[in-house]
Amino acid sequence: WYQRRVRGNYFYKIMRITLLLIFYFFSFTLNEVFDCGYKVIPIEFFNDDYCDCYNGEDEPRTSACSPHGIFICEKEYLSLNISSSKINDGICDCCDGRDEQFQSCPDRCEENKLKSIAFLNEVNKIKLEGLKKKKEILEKISFDDEEGLNLDFGDDKRFFYFLKKVYKFHNNYNYNLEFFGDLKQDNTLIGTFKEWQKDYSQALFEGGEACWKGPARSALVKLFCSEINEIKSISEPSKCFYEIDFQTPLVC
């Protein structure tokens, strides 16, 4: 294989195309290849600072496929992938600084490991408490009330617990969330419960009041394991579309 000189050089591009054609013609005799999913490339083209795969899979160590490429911080205790656009941007994202070739980064791998272990221990503690609380809730659920029995409460009917309950949250506005009912921001309807998504880990609310010169309001409520039932945060990532993080034992 050849040594690449100037990335944007016309001659280099012609040579690359020629080599690829030769490679495809003789590829049945080669074993050292990288599979992009829709084509294979010579292993020498892996991490060579040129984007061959449309999804950037061949350049996990360079910014060649920015902004679509992924850079893998291998030494992190918990796996960390960053956008290849963050390579050599002057900010040390990986604990060992491998994403920054032109500046010195402190080694934070052991520190990050200890933080990650502490985080996982806390997550496990919350999960155990949540499972305990979930069991208590399921034991208390009664289906004597026939109202709403045609609603989707999940395979084990655990979401029956949410019926007629209203969860409140305040930042700059007052929010009222009622599963199987309405989600409101003060007196403005954001949406009405439509369906569960992603194996009951998300709830979609649609049909809210229209924004000024915008779409009808809607929201996605994401459920996370916790020992308590409460709204954790509310954001508006795009105009008139809201995302709500909701903690509950029912998904533990």
Side-chain angles (χ1 to χ4, degrees):
W1 303 105
Y2 59 93
Q3 293 291 330
R4 182 175 61 81
R5 295 182 179 179
V6 182
R7 182 175 171 185
N9 186 279
Y10 177 76
F11 174 75
Y12 163 66
K13 292 182 179 179
I14 295 298
M15 286 295 295
R16 190 178 192 85
I17 293 173
T18 303
L19 285 171
L20 280 172
L21 290 174
I22 294 174
F23 167 74
Y24 290 138
F25 184 75
F26 292 105
S27 61
F28 63 90
T29 66
L30 299 175
N31 295 320
E32 295 297 317
V33 299
F34 180 80
D35 188 356
C36 292
Y38 62 100
K39 69 175 181 179
V40 293
I41 61 173
I43 197 65
E44 285 82 358
F45 285 8
F46 186 76
N47 281 328
D48 69 340
D49 204 27
Y50 189 94
C51 193
D52 294 289
C53 302
Y54 75 89
N55 56 7
E57 288 184 348
D58 61 309
E59 296 298 320
R61 293 285 177 270
T62 77
S63 59
C65 298
S66 176
H68 305 295
I70 296 297
F71 185 87
I72 304 172
C73 298
E74 290 183 342
K75 290 192 175 181
E76 295 284 354
Y77 185 76
L78 296 179
S79 94
L80 175 64
N81 297 337
I82 63 174
S83 169
S84 58
S85 63
K86 293 186 176 182
I87 298 175
N88 296 322
D89 64 350
I91 301 175
C92 301
D93 294 291
C94 299
C95 66
D96 59 352
R98 66 188 300 126
D99 56 306
E100 298 299 321
Q101 300 176 5
F102 307 112
Q103 74 174 52
S104 177
C105 296
D107 191 323
R108 298 177 287 104
C109 293
E110 186 62 26
E111 176 187 352
N112 284 8
K113 177 181 178 180
L114 295 176
K115 289 181 179 180
S116 297
I117 291 174
F119 170 76
L120 292 175
N121 288 338
E122 183 63 23
V123 168
N124 288 332
K125 179 182 177 181
I126 291 174
K127 184 176 181 180
L128 289 174
E129 291 295 327
L131 287 170
K132 180 180 177 181
K133 185 66 176 179
K134 177 182 177 181
K135 182 179 179 181
E136 294 175 358
I137 290 174
L138 292 178
E139 290 174 349
K140 294 179 180 179
I141 288 179
S142 172
F143 295 97
D144 294 335
D145 187 350
E146 295 183 0
E147 181 181 354
L149 291 184
N150 291 325
L151 297 173
D152 183 4
F153 297 124
D155 295 337
D156 56 2
K157 308 300 181 183
R158 63 187 184 278
F159 293 112
F160 182 82
Y161 176 80
F162 284 150
L163 190 63
K164 297 182 180 179
K165 289 183 173 64
V166 179
Y167 297 94
K168 300 179 181 294
F169 185 83
H170 176 78
N171 47 29
N172 295 326
Y173 302 93
N174 293 309
Y175 292 88
N176 289 328
L177 167 64
E178 183 179 355
F179 290 95
F180 310 110
D182 294 336
L183 169 61
K184 290 185 176 182
Q185 180 193 72
D186 292 332
N187 294 320
T188 301
L189 178 65
I190 293 178
T192 300
F193 177 83
K194 181 182 180 182
E195 63 184 6
W196 296 105
Q197 296 183 345
K198 291 192 174 181
D199 196 25
Y200 297 95
S201 66
Q202 297 180 354
L204 179 64
F205 286 74
E206 288 187 336
E209 296 179 33
C211 291
W212 173 251
K213 295 184 178 179
R217 290 175 173 84
S218 61
L220 189 65
V221 180
K222 298 180 179 180
L223 278 62
F224 299 92
C225 174
S226 178
E227 69 273 24
I228 57 178
N229 290 287
E230 69 173 6
I231 298 173
K232 185 66 175 179
S233 64
I234 297 180
S235 62
E236 189 178 355
S238 59
K239 187 175 183 180
C240 302
F241 176 74
Y242 300 80
E243 285 191 355
I244 299 176
D245 289 347
F246 186 88
Q247 298 182 143
T248 175
L250 297 181
V251 294
C252 290

